[in-house]
Amino acid sequence: MAEQITGIILILISFWEFYSVRGVFLNSKRHGTKSTSHFLPAALWSGIVFGVAMLGFGMALIFKQI
């Protein structure tokens, strides 16, 4: 039972991460200038990868694959 709860928490974290990445992307698209960091695409990409990893671990815990 604890594994399923942890899985649900990880899935919620992944959704929050996707929502945050989307917000940063839209904000930088609207308000980005030449002074915007050149590392922003790498940060967005790593946020997406983290979200996918948390989603995968969460699903694996819910279906008891780990």
Side-chain angles (χ1 to χ4, degrees):
M1 184 67 182
E3 294 168 347
Q4 284 85 13
I5 293 171
T6 305
I8 291 171
I9 291 170
L10 288 176
I11 290 172
L12 291 175
I13 289 171
S14 72
F15 288 151
W16 178 76
E17 184 68 25
F18 293 138
Y19 179 75
S20 298
V21 166
R22 180 181 175 269
V24 170
F25 175 75
L26 292 176
N27 188 32
S28 65
K29 190 175 177 181
R30 285 186 208 126
H31 305 291
T33 62
K34 284 193 162 220
S35 65
T36 303
S37 176
H38 296 289
F39 294 105
L40 186 62
L44 293 174
W45 180 249
S46 66
I48 291 171
V49 169
F50 179 77
V52 168
M54 289 299 106
L55 184 64
F57 286 137
M59 295 296 285
L61 284 174
I62 287 176
F63 295 116
K64 297 183 181 182
Q65 298 295 318
I66 294 181

